[in-house]
């Protein structure tokens, strides 16, 4: 099987663009050049389109097994395809929790049967599964909820965290919120049903406390640490002052472009953990992303049904979907001059592959896997509820006019999405981690 993408504006590893053709043989990119001969290749006319490495989304919650009424691996991976996301790393807070080899194997099997894109999974830390954390395979890393999670996945005591950081070498990814502080503040503000109180209860200090503790433990053991969905100016400033080279951090598009004013427009749909912050936090997060203190972008795609979201705060669950709009939201920011297209692609693909040591992905170069997305940087289209592919059926950016939507998404050399049409038969592969 061969594909020839003709006349695309191709993003090269140098960050420069080249107007030309890209040939794909099997699952790999084989050649980049001008006027390549087509032979028996299937041709994609990419005139006017820009070719980027497929997005690797390193933090998603896809709900299977156990919570398939919200989302499942098939619907979520279709949403990925629509959004230009060709690989994802998924979190362990499913039912059962992904905390053992057996539950990991079950997820991998389900993904191999249902996922249109490539997949990798975290193993979740509990206070009591130390040996699983050391041996479960393949995993992209260990996920620790230091706060904002109930039940077995919560590890919020320093001694228990120390025990995890002290053993093994795997990357540890933390949801950094201080559970004790959240508990106290919830008791203090308990009666309010205003969604905006969410950002007051789970405040900047709660996030900073946990990030500081994780950083302390990472330094103590020289342990690879990744701070998930960094949300505050204080944490971003800490990263700018004091980030060892073995530490990485991510930010979500929503923490860059939404803030607490969103509670007024979309109510509990804006409720997530860690919460949305102030316009000042938006600014400092942007600055940290641009200067490298924050390394990359993840969506924290966390779908809940509209019915669940319609409950009043605090019964309404935290989380919002993201995979099908993240690239277009970020490319719209590029179109508005906040960053460049090459930066967006680095934050959403190249830098993720590097941090998680995913071989052969994240660049358009001969020999690399043909995980690619063609986007249209010249045309805008609104986010419409009726077009949402995620099973949850809504999106926090509904009504936003976005530039840079995925037109064609290619996974392992196969076209999985083409201008509104899905190839539901294609299956992605399990990612490998170096
Ligand atoms: O808002 C959130 N919801 N943040 C998380 O980290 C978890 C997620 C969920 O699973 O619903």
């Amino acid at each position: 099987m061969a594909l020839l993408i003709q006349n695309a504006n191709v993003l090269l590893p140098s960050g420069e663009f080249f107007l030309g053709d890209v040939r794909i043989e099997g699952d790999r990119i084989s050649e980049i050049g001008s006027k390549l001969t087509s032979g028996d290749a299937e041709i994609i006319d990419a005139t006017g389109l820009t070719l980027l490495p497929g997005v690797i989304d390193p933090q998603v919650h896809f709900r299977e097994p156990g919570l398939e009424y919200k989302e499942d691996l098939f619907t979520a991976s279709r949403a990925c395809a629509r959004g230009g996301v060709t690989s994802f790393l998924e979190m362990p807070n499913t039912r059962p929790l992904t905390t053992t080899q057996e539950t990991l194997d079950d997820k991998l099997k389900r993904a191999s049967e249902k996922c249109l894109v490539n997949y990798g999974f975290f193993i979740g830390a509990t206070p009591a599964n130390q040996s699983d954390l050391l041996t479960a395979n393949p995993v992209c890393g260990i996920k620790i909820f230091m706060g904002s999670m109930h039940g077995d996945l919560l590890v919020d005591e320093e001694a228990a965290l120390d025990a995890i950081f002290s053993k093994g070498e795997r990357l540890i990814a933390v949801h950094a919120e201080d559970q004790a502080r959240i508990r106290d503040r919830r008791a203090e503000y308990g009666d309010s049903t205003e969604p905006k109180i969410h950002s007051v209860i789970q405040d900047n200090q709660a996030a900073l406390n946990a990030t500081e503790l994780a950083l302390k433990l990472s330094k103590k053991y020289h342990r690879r640490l990744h701070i998930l969905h960094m949300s505050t100016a204080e944490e971003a400033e800490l990263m700018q002052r004091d980030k060892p080279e073995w530490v990485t951090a991510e930010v979500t598009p929503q923490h860059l472009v939404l803030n607490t004013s969103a509670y007024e427009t979309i109510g509990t749909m804006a409720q997530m953990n860690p919460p949305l912050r102030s316009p000042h936090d938006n600014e400092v997060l942007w600055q940290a992303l641009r200067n490298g203190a924050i390394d990359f972008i993840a969506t924290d795609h966390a779908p809940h049904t509209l019915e669940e979201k319609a409950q009043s705060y605090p019964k309404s669950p935290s989380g919002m979907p993201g995979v099908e709009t993240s690239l277009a939201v970020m490319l719209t920011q590029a179109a508005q001059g906040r960053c460049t297209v090459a930066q967006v692609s680095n934050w959403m693909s190249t830098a993720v592959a590097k941090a998680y040591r995913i071989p052969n992905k994240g660049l358009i170069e001969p020999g690399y896997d043909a995980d690619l997305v063609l986007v249209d940087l010249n045309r805008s289209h609104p986010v419409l509820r009726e077009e949402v592919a995620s099973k949850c059926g809504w999106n926090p950016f509904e009504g936003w006019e976005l530039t840079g939507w995925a037109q064609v998404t290619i996974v392992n050399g196969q076209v999985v999405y083409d201008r509104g049409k899905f190839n539901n038969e294609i299956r992605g592969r399990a990612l490998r981690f170096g």
Side-chain angles (χ1 to χ4, degrees), residues 59 61 63 70 91 93 143 145 147-149 175 177 198 229 271-274 300-304 309 317-320:
Q59 193 196 167
H61 303 263
R63 309 307 191 200
K70 296 177 197 270
M91 287 296 167
N93 56 329
K143 166 69 182 279
F145 282 93
S148 275
M149 192 47 62
H175 179 127
E177 287 192 278
H198 188 61
H229 43 38
Q271 180 194 328
M272 69 169 295
N273 297 328
D300 191 20
H301 179 94
H304 300 285
K309 279 296 211 183
S318 292
M320 56 177 79

Side-chain angles (χ1 to χ4, degrees), residues 45-67:
D45 178 6
T47 307
L49 302 179
T50 297
L51 187 68
L52 304 175
V55 171
I56 307 172
D57 190 334
Q59 193 196 167
V60 300
H61 303 263
F62 281 174
R63 309 307 191 200
E64 181 171 352
L67 300 165

Side-chain angles (χ1 to χ4, degrees), residues 47 91 108 119 156 183 210 265 304 415 423:
T47 307
M91 287 296 167
L108 284 160
Y119 45 85
D156 58 345
R183 202 178 304 123
T265 48
H304 300 285
V415 176
N423 185 341

